[in-house]
Amino acid sequence: MLNNLTDTEEGDGGAQSQGDSNPKESSPFINSSDVAAEKSQQYDGKNMALFEEEMDTSPMVSSLLSSLANYSNLPQGSKEHEEAENNEAESSRKKPVKAPQLGTLMGVYLPCIQNIFGVILFLRMTWLVGIGGVIGTFIIVFMCCATTMLTAISMSAIATNGVVPAGGSYYMISRSLGPEFGGAVGICFYLGTTFAGAMYILGAIELLLIYIVPKAAIFPLEGLEGAEAEAALLNNMRVYGTILLTSMATVVFVGVKYVNKLALVFLACVILSILAVYAGVIKTAVDPPVFPVCVLGNRTLVWKTFDVCAKTVETANGTVTTQLWRMFCDSPLLNATCDKYFTANNVTEIQGIPGVTSGILAENLFGTYYEKGDLIAKGDLESVEDQDDPLTNANRYVLADITSFFTLLVGIYFPSVTGIMAGSNRSGDLRDAQKSIPIGTIAAITTTSTVYMSSVVLFGACIEGVVLRDKFGEGVHGNLVIGTLAWPSPWVIVIGSFFSTCGAGLQSLTGAPRLMQAIAKDGLVPALRIFGHGKANGEPTWSLLLTACICESGILIASLDAVAPILSMFFLMCYMFVNLACALQTLLRTPNWRPRFKFYHWTLSFLGMSLCLTLMFLCSWYYAIVAMAIAGSIYKYIEFAGAEKEWGDGIRGLSLSAARYALMRLEEGPPHTKNWRPQLLVLVSTDAEQNVEQPRLLSLTNQLKAGKGLTIVGTALEGTYLENYEQTQRAEQALRKLMETEKVKGFCQVTVSSNLRDATSHLLQASGLGGLKHNAVLTSWPRNWKQGDEHQTWRNFVELVRETTAAHLALLVPKNISAFPSNGERFTEGHIDVWWIVHDGGMLMLLPFLLRQHKVWRKCKMRIFTVAQMDDNSIQMKKDLTTFLYHLRIDAMVEVVEMHDSDISAYTYEKTLVMEQRSQMLKQINLTKTEREREIQSITDSSRGSIRRKNPAAVTTQLSVTEDPPAASKEEKPEEESKSASSPVSPPEQVQLIHDNTTPASPATPATPLTPGEGAQSPGEQVQMTWTEKCDGEPAKPPGAATPEGIKDIFNMKPEWENLNQSNVRRMHTALRLNEVIIKKSSEAKLVLLNMPGPPRNRTGDENYMEFLEVLTEGLNRVLLVRGGGREVITIYS
């Protein structure tokens, strides 16, 4: 066989290369021709017969290799992502896709360069250096660049850990941290990108209105001062910004291809502008440009309306005043009245750009921060001024337009280092994304960081401090400050920066709608689903409209300095979660975490995350809180209303690790009494269709739990797991659906075994994990347990009681569960009555307290009854119980019920007699088996109390007739307290039925013991006891009649009473007496909680035990029988 296989592999290369899997349509990977399919079948038949039965579900590896190696054929990360694609996307996917061709330079490096270099470098960098000083600004630049570099390292690790489809950072974060984090951060990243578009547009308008065509202002600034001038400038920004936004959105709507074609042009503008600055710096060392600044005293003057920086000039005709004189004096004459400060101080002309060799760097090392309206002054010049004189002619001086401080500078600068995601966003277009993304991104950040850091030093070394602090270049003839440094002309920078900001704005308006469309298509946020739709070619029309509206809100702010910190928040939050994703994946050692990029470490990711968080609060603590609140709200909304996605994310891995750690801690010991709460195992039964038969049991669970603690809902099925797998799945689905309906948070479990008793026992033993196990079992009272065909139900129930006792588990048994309230009902008044007969560890105190936390029972008051015996001091008992409840902090009314010893009534004897006769009759039924069968049953009863037998038809008929409530026999008269005489079965028929059951057993089993430990009894005695249930020996008398003669006959039956088991009589007496007292006190209660007596140690009395419980709770509407788990569950201590 091995030789044949080798020959085939060598010779049939063609068949193998075409694929050798079973060509089944359901397989997503297989798309082969009929010829290939035929060859594959032949191939499989000859060589892979061992696997031929699995070909439908497990195709051969060789057929998958070509699909697996080709990224374009892969499903996008997960099955539901592929299913979420609309028809247009499917049709476009079927078209032949061109292989991606972009390399590292064009695909990652240059796009990152274009996105990182932007408006801040050209419009604010010189001002940042002037205000913060070279040292302060260098620290800001270093912090921001370090943050983006650390983020890029984390991003490279994530991007090289498998294929990253289009979607870039959103895809990486959502698939690493889960849908909630992914949606929250994705929307934050979207908002950041949108506000970045607003910032770029505002930058372009600022360049246009201040430096290119100032006369185009709709609201003229000439002659306005202070707040009026500021308002006019902002209104101009709003009007022109809206116009530019509309035109840009139209371009994007018409065709993205034009934006992509123009991208290289805009990139060329950026690079040329930066090169012009460096060329200008070099030129300053040789020949500094002439850009004089006019200073009056030490105050910088706005150089717009005067030509000579002097008060007077000497001419042939003598001394003549200048335009500057006329600005501060009331006439051009030398004897005119002038401004006091103008008169007292000299005018000095200083060089605005002294050059890199001038030593000006020492003056600019440290920062100078201003309040709004402060004068931009040169500190080393003399100034004569009277502090009491008010500032006059303020519009003649260069003033600080905003209050500046270190953290504000951080917020304004940070947007200039964003854009590092540009390469990963294009991952679908890259030839080798796993190689290009790390190299291109890190190289781009290194380049831009070098440029920024060198710019800080060079600006400080070349430009005069007052010029650096002059934000709009008012002191240098209204020139762009960075433009004054550029060579060959300031216009190179002005025009280049205008086009680069326009290009960056277009890129933002192109990228943001696609990001929103990706989020909407994932279906994470139901409210955003409309934004997943677009034009026929897939362009996101609705998302573009939303982006334009949000962008307009940024433009209405109208201040570049106010918008920058907003988008800084959103980008910083996005970067923080990228670092968190990488750190989590590394620390959790997820098996799928195998990045090709090896130069990462979790400490670097945590450092990056810490830097992001620090910068967020440095920029603006209130913006940071708002951004976190937005992200948190989106997170909770997706968690509450969003689509459930399983993306194999790191948060799920973190949950598993945290759960494991918590479980290991729980194993260290049992919980303290203060921490005890009912961890419920709810046992429900299902019908033939696997629907839950007692849905109210889960309503009660919800009311008991109030959504806290562990809940396991379990059900048992009979059979084998292999044969009943589908039923198991249906049952589990039904349980989940009901749990969701009843708002029960927990787990469901279905167990299959050869019989229901064993399956329930397995549930009891195996549910839970480690320290997170149930400590209480909730199961409903077995209905119709007296019916003949239900005998196994009550046997199972009694065994369950025994097992919970042995396992030290609490047991809660609601009786008449269908009468319990649903979660939607409300009790406006009423009582929850607790009958505290024996101490059970405080369960009876704790359960009503928990129930009253739920809105159903909230308005019910709690009453506690306890029973005093003959020798007890009931007054002292009441005092003690009141004190105990006070220490427990439980509000309840207390009552002590005195139960004096009394003689056992005839009714008790009769009730016991009927019970024992019924017990004997059930045993007679079992005697109809052969000797061997009875022995097997005896062994089975002894071992686990689980008997599986097939009753004869006659027995079933007899039991159904005699036990059915509509046809109640006389033995049921005391059980029903002779409430009404129901239509009886005719006495001769009864006699005949009983004889049918008893007579054949007589000769077959003369004196065979029924079960181990049970005394031998002759059939004659059995027959006689069966007949005794007729009480008066008159078959023709109707069973329900209670006449004085009948009572007289009862009192004549003392010999039969003496033969009764006295222990049973005493138990029946207790049950009847307690039942009388409970009905008297609690008949109107909304719920009665009662201690549940334990089952007999001898299994022969199991059916009697059920009868005792039935008598104890008779006549009560809602009863919760409670059996403690053998430990204290409530304490008076804090």
Side-chain angles (χ1 to χ4, degrees):
M1 179 65 192
L2 182 61
N3 293 336
N4 291 341
L5 180 60
T6 309
D7 293 342
T8 309
E9 285 175 348
E10 290 175 358
D12 282 348
Q16 191 172 355
S17 64
Q18 291 185 23
D20 32 24
S21 66
N22 194 359
K24 198 167 192 291
E25 288 181 1
S26 63
S27 174
F29 298 101
I30 301 164
N31 187 16
S32 55
S33 63
D34 295 338
V35 178
E38 190 177 346
K39 288 188 179 182
S40 67
Q41 287 175 349
Q42 292 172 359
Y43 181 76
D44 294 338
K46 285 188 290 183
N47 301 298
M48 296 296 167
L50 186 62
F51 299 97
E52 63 185 6
E53 292 186 359
E54 299 177 19
M55 289 299 168
D56 290 346
T57 56
S58 307
M60 293 299 295
V61 171
S62 53
S63 68
L64 297 188
L65 288 178
S66 61
S67 299
L68 291 171
N70 187 353
Y71 294 166
S72 63
N73 291 339
L74 271 181
Q76 290 194 5
S78 59
K79 184 178 178 183
E80 77 278 0
H81 195 85
E82 190 175 70
E83 288 172 352
E85 297 289 338
N86 54 23
N87 294 330
E88 292 90 341
E90 285 180 9
S91 62
S92 65
R93 196 163 55 231
K94 290 174 185 175
K95 294 174 185 176
V97 181
K98 291 183 180 178
Q101 294 297 327
L102 292 178
T104 305
L105 183 68
M106 295 299 294
V108 181
Y109 180 76
L110 291 179
C112 283
I113 291 282
Q114 182 188 0
N115 278 267
I116 294 171
F117 284 137
V119 65
I120 301 296
L121 173 64
F122 301 118
L123 290 181
R124 293 291 182 269
M125 187 59 111
T126 52
W127 178 78
L128 289 169
V129 174
I131 297 292
V134 172
I135 294 174
T137 311
F138 191 87
I139 290 170
I140 293 172
V141 172
F142 182 79
M143 281 175 62
C144 294
C145 291
T147 303
T148 53
M149 178 60 82
L150 292 170
T151 305
I153 291 170
S154 299
M155 186 191 72
S156 299
I158 297 172
T160 58
N161 187 50
V163 184
V164 179
S169 55
Y170 161 69
Y171 185 91
M172 288 189 292
I173 295 168
S174 62
R175 270 54 177 182
S176 296
L177 292 178
E180 292 88 3
F181 273 113
V185 179
I187 290 172
C188 283
F189 190 52
Y190 163 76
L191 291 173
T193 310
T194 305
F195 275 104
M199 184 188 72
Y200 291 131
I201 290 171
L202 288 173
I205 298 302
E206 186 176 308
L207 284 162
L208 184 73
L209 292 180
I210 294 177
Y211 305 111
I212 301 176
V213 277
K215 295 186 183 298
I218 296 174
F219 301 90
L221 301 176
E222 297 298 329
L224 298 178
E225 292 185 21
E228 292 180 355
E230 185 181 349
L233 176 63
L234 294 180
N235 287 330
N236 281 322
M237 301 282 278
R238 291 183 181 112
V239 172
Y240 277 100
T242 305
I243 293 169
L244 186 58
L245 171 65
T246 307
S247 57
M248 281 185 174
T250 306
V251 170
V252 173
F253 178 76
V254 170
V256 181
K257 57 184 178 180
Y258 302 116
V259 179
N260 294 333
K261 285 177 181 177
L262 291 171
L264 284 175
V265 177
F266 297 139
L267 177 60
C269 292
V270 174
I271 294 171
L272 282 174
S273 301
I274 292 169
L275 290 176
V277 171
Y278 277 104
V281 169
I282 296 167
K283 184 176 179 294
T284 62
V286 182
D287 180 22
V290 179
F291 276 100
V293 178
C294 194
V295 180
L296 175 63
N298 66 350
R299 301 176 181 177
T300 311
L301 294 170
V302 176
W303 199 323
K304 280 188 179 177
T305 55
F306 61 91
D307 51 358
V308 181
C309 184
K311 294 181 179 180
T312 58
V313 290
E314 296 294 331
T315 63
N317 298 328
T319 304
V320 180
T321 58
T322 61
Q323 290 177 337
L324 183 62
W325 177 281
R326 299 185 188 99
M327 287 169 59
F328 287 94
C329 302
D330 57 0
S331 77
L333 302 175
L334 289 171
N335 61 352
T337 304
C338 297
D339 183 89
K340 284 184 181 181
Y341 186 82
F342 180 77
T343 306
N345 290 277
N346 295 322
V347 175
T348 311
E349 184 176 286
I350 60 173
Q351 183 60 23
I353 301 179
V356 75
T357 57
S358 64
I360 196 73
L361 179 64
E363 294 181 19
N364 294 330
L365 279 179
F366 302 102
T368 309
Y369 297 99
Y370 293 108
E371 292 290 326
K372 183 176 181 180
D374 284 357
L375 295 159
I376 306 297
K378 183 168 174 58
D380 57 349
L381 292 178
E382 288 186 7
S383 173
V384 180
E385 58 183 309
D386 188 349
Q387 297 295 334
D388 296 330
D389 284 346
L391 178 65
T392 55
N393 295 303
N395 61 333
R396 308 285 189 256
Y397 304 111
V398 178
L399 304 175
D401 67 324
I402 58 171
T403 301
S404 54
F405 41 89
F406 182 79
T407 56
L408 173 75
L409 304 187
V410 177
I412 291 175
Y413 173 73
F414 188 80
S416 64
V417 296
T418 60
I420 61 172
M421 302 284 190
S424 63
N425 289 345
R426 297 172 179 235
S427 55
D429 301 325
L430 300 174
R431 191 183 304 117
D432 185 357
Q434 297 193 7
K435 177 185 174 186
S436 297
I437 288 175
I439 296 172
T441 307
I442 291 171
I445 291 173
T446 306
T447 305
T448 53
S449 300
T450 305
V451 170
Y452 283 136
M453 289 178 190
S454 62
S455 297
V456 171
V457 177
L458 293 174
F459 291 165
C462 293
I463 305 175
E464 172 62 49
V466 290
V467 179
L468 287 172
R469 292 187 282 278
D470 183 0
K471 185 186 285 186
F472 301 111
E474 293 171 306
V476 284
H477 299 281
N479 280 301
L480 182 62
V481 175
I482 194 174
T484 60
L485 190 62
W487 179 87
S489 165
W491 286 100
V492 175
I493 290 284
V494 173
I495 301 299
S497 57
F498 177 76
F499 280 114
S500 71
T501 49
C502 287
L506 279 172
Q507 292 286 351
S508 297
L509 288 177
T510 305
R514 276 160 178 68
L515 183 59
M516 174 53 70
Q517 188 179 39
I519 296 169
K521 280 192 174 183
D522 268 343
L524 298 181
V525 184
L528 298 178
R529 281 184 182 143
I530 186 173
F531 298 109
H533 304 298
K535 291 195 289 187
N537 60 354
E539 290 298 316
T541 312
W542 289 103
S543 296
L544 178 61
L545 186 63
L546 176 70
T547 304
C549 292
I550 296 172
C551 200
E552 176 64 20
S553 68
I555 287 169
L556 291 177
I557 296 172
S559 169
L560 184 69
D561 302 321
V563 172
I566 297 175
L567 66 104
S568 294
M569 288 303 115
F570 292 124
F571 277 119
L572 278 166
M573 185 168 287
C574 177
Y575 295 167
M576 182 174 73
F577 281 106
V578 169
N579 285 301
L580 175 64
C582 181
L584 264 184
Q585 300 275 32
T586 309
L587 286 174
L588 292 173
R589 295 187 179 90
T590 313
N592 192 51
W593 181 245
R594 302 184 299 276
R596 288 193 175 278
F597 181 76
K598 301 298 181 187
F599 304 101
Y600 70 94
H601 195 267
W602 66 268
T603 52
L604 294 176
S605 299
F606 266 116
L607 180 60
M609 191 173 70
S610 306
L611 271 173
C612 288
L613 200 59
T614 305
L615 286 173
M616 281 178 71
F617 283 93
L618 272 180
C619 292
S620 171
W621 64 267
Y622 46 90
Y623 276 160
I625 291 171
V626 169
M628 286 182 165
I630 291 171
S633 303
I634 297 166
Y635 180 96
K636 295 306 291 181
Y637 177 71
I638 294 173
E639 189 179 57
F640 175 72
E644 290 187 12
K645 302 283 182 182
E646 177 48 71
W647 287 333
D649 50 86
I651 292 297
R652 188 173 178 83
L654 182 64
S655 302
L656 287 170
S657 294
R660 175 182 160 276
Y661 174 76
L663 283 171
M664 299 299 285
R665 288 290 304 274
L666 281 175
E667 280 282 65
E668 292 174 9
H672 191 275
T673 304
K674 288 187 288 187
N675 295 328
W676 195 96
R677 64 171 72 233
Q679 315 282 18
L680 289 177
L681 171 63
V682 186
L683 297 176
V684 298
S685 56
T686 54
D687 57 20
E689 299 298 321
Q690 272 68 53
N691 295 318
V692 178
E693 291 181 335
Q694 308 100 355
R696 286 291 167 88
L697 207 56
L698 290 191
S699 303
L700 178 61
T701 304
N702 178 282
Q703 293 155 27
L704 269 173
K705 302 294 293 180
K708 303 290 189 300
L710 173 71
T711 305
I712 302 172
V713 182
T715 189
L717 298 179
E718 195 169 0
T720 62
Y721 184 72
L722 289 176
E723 293 175 357
N724 293 278
Y725 176 75
E726 288 185 5
Q727 288 90 322
T728 305
Q729 296 299 306
R730 282 205 304 272
E732 193 169 328
Q733 194 174 355
L735 290 182
R736 286 187 196 281
K737 187 176 179 183
L738 185 61
M739 287 171 72
E740 190 176 334
T741 304
E742 297 293 342
K743 297 180 180 175
V744 173
K745 294 182 179 178
F747 311 97
C748 61
Q749 193 166 345
V750 181
T751 306
V752 185
S753 188
S754 56
N755 58 74
L756 292 178
R757 172 83 288 280
D758 286 349
T760 307
S761 180
H762 297 160
L763 268 176
L764 202 69
Q765 296 172 59
S767 295
L769 181 64
L772 195 67
K773 288 182 73 71
H774 54 277
N775 54 27
V777 177
L778 176 64
T779 186
S780 63
W781 177 261
R783 295 180 305 163
N784 307 324
W785 66 272
K786 291 184 180 182
Q787 292 184 7
D789 55 352
E790 296 288 335
H791 65 275
Q792 196 60 47
T793 308
W794 62 259
R795 285 186 187 278
N796 291 350
F797 176 77
V798 176
E799 287 300 302
L800 177 65
V801 178
R802 284 198 177 98
E803 286 181 356
T804 53
T805 306
H808 300 292
L809 300 173
L811 180 63
L812 313 178
V813 182
K815 195 165 179 239
N816 301 329
I817 185 64
S818 57
F820 277 66
S822 66
N823 291 328
E825 296 180 44
R826 303 284 182 276
F827 287 129
T828 54
E829 57 181 359
H831 294 96
I832 299 175
D833 286 359
V834 177
W835 284 84
W836 194 22
I837 298 162
V838 295
H839 182 56
D840 58 352
M843 278 287 287
L844 283 171
M845 307 292 161
L846 189 61
L847 291 175
F849 171 77
L850 294 174
L851 280 173
R852 289 181 67 227
Q853 305 303 305
H854 197 276
K855 49 196 173 187
V856 172
W857 304 93
R858 189 165 293 153
K859 296 191 178 177
C860 292
K861 293 181 180 177
M862 186 173 161
R863 296 189 300 190
I864 297 182
F865 298 90
T866 189
V867 176
Q869 299 297 320
M870 179 68 84
D871 301 333
D872 295 328
N873 183 341
S874 58
I875 297 173
Q876 188 60 40
M877 281 178 67
K878 185 169 183 176
K879 282 184 181 177
D880 293 343
L881 183 54
T882 306
T883 306
F884 179 59
L885 290 175
Y886 175 78
H887 287 311
L888 287 177
R889 291 91 64 203
I890 290 177
D891 296 324
M893 291 180 284
V894 175
E895 188 170 339
V896 178
V897 178
E898 296 182 351
M899 286 185 64
H900 301 299
D901 289 341
S902 61
D903 294 334
I904 298 173
S905 65
Y907 178 64
T908 302
Y909 278 110
E910 183 61 26
K911 191 88 174 170
T912 310
L913 180 64
V914 170
M915 179 185 74
E916 289 199 355
Q917 287 178 347
R918 185 178 185 283
S919 175
Q920 293 295 333
M921 188 165 57
L922 287 171
K923 290 168 186 172
Q924 281 176 266
I925 294 168
N926 298 334
L927 287 175
T928 59
K929 303 283 184 181
T930 62
E931 187 74 20
R932 181 180 174 189
E933 286 175 338
R934 278 204 320 281
E935 286 173 1
I936 293 171
Q937 288 169 12
S938 300
I939 294 166
T940 311
D941 282 344
S942 304
S943 63
R944 65 167 190 246
S946 176
I947 308 171
R948 302 179 69 196
R949 54 173 98 58
K950 194 183 296 180
N951 292 333
V955 178
T956 309
T957 308
Q958 189 265 342
L959 278 169
S960 61
V961 169
T962 56
E963 299 297 328
D964 210 355
S969 63
K970 198 175 244 182
E971 75 172 85
E972 285 185 300
K973 181 188 82 175
E975 293 177 22
E976 298 299 322
E977 295 187 354
S978 305
K979 289 180 185 175
S980 61
S982 54
S983 56
V985 177
S986 63
E989 185 180 346
Q990 280 189 347
V991 174
Q992 183 60 43
L993 283 167
I994 293 168
H995 273 83
D996 286 345
N997 286 320
T998 56
T999 311
S1002 302
T1005 53
T1008 305
L1010 299 176
T1011 52
E1014 191 173 73
Q1017 213 170 15
S1018 71
E1021 287 176 328
Q1022 294 164 12
V1023 173
Q1024 184 232 350
M1025 290 193 75
T1026 306
W1027 274 102
T1028 313
E1029 74 183 82
K1030 300 300 171 224
C1031 302
D1032 53 6
E1034 298 179 13
K1037 192 167 185 177
T1043 61
E1045 290 80 13
I1047 294 171
K1048 182 180 174 183
D1049 289 335
I1050 287 172
F1051 279 100
N1052 292 334
M1053 291 176 63
K1054 289 202 173 181
E1056 285 80 3
W1057 294 354
E1058 289 172 1
N1059 292 334
L1060 293 173
N1061 184 325
Q1062 291 306 306
S1063 175
N1064 286 344
V1065 173
R1066 286 197 306 274
R1067 287 193 176 94
M1068 183 65 75
H1069 177 65
T1070 305
L1072 284 167
R1073 288 295 310 281
L1074 270 176
N1075 180 255
E1076 287 173 12
V1077 174
I1078 293 170
I1079 285 180
K1080 181 180 177 183
K1081 298 283 186 182
S1082 302
S1083 58
E1084 300 298 321
K1086 300 298 182 187
L1087 178 64
V1088 176
L1089 283 88
L1090 185 63
N1091 284 116
M1092 182 178 181
R1097 292 175 184 172
N1098 188 350
R1099 295 176 187 275
T1100 54
D1102 285 358
E1103 59 274 11
N1104 298 343
Y1105 171 68
M1106 296 294 291
E1107 191 70 50
F1108 293 142
L1109 292 181
E1110 192 74 61
V1111 170
L1112 182 64
T1113 57
E1114 200 166 19
L1116 296 171
N1117 186 24
R1118 297 186 196 93
V1119 186
L1120 185 60
L1121 294 168
V1122 180
R1123 187 160 170 75
R1127 63 159 293 163
E1128 293 294 327
V1129 299
I1130 198 166
T1131 178
I1132 64 173
Y1133 299 108
S1134 61

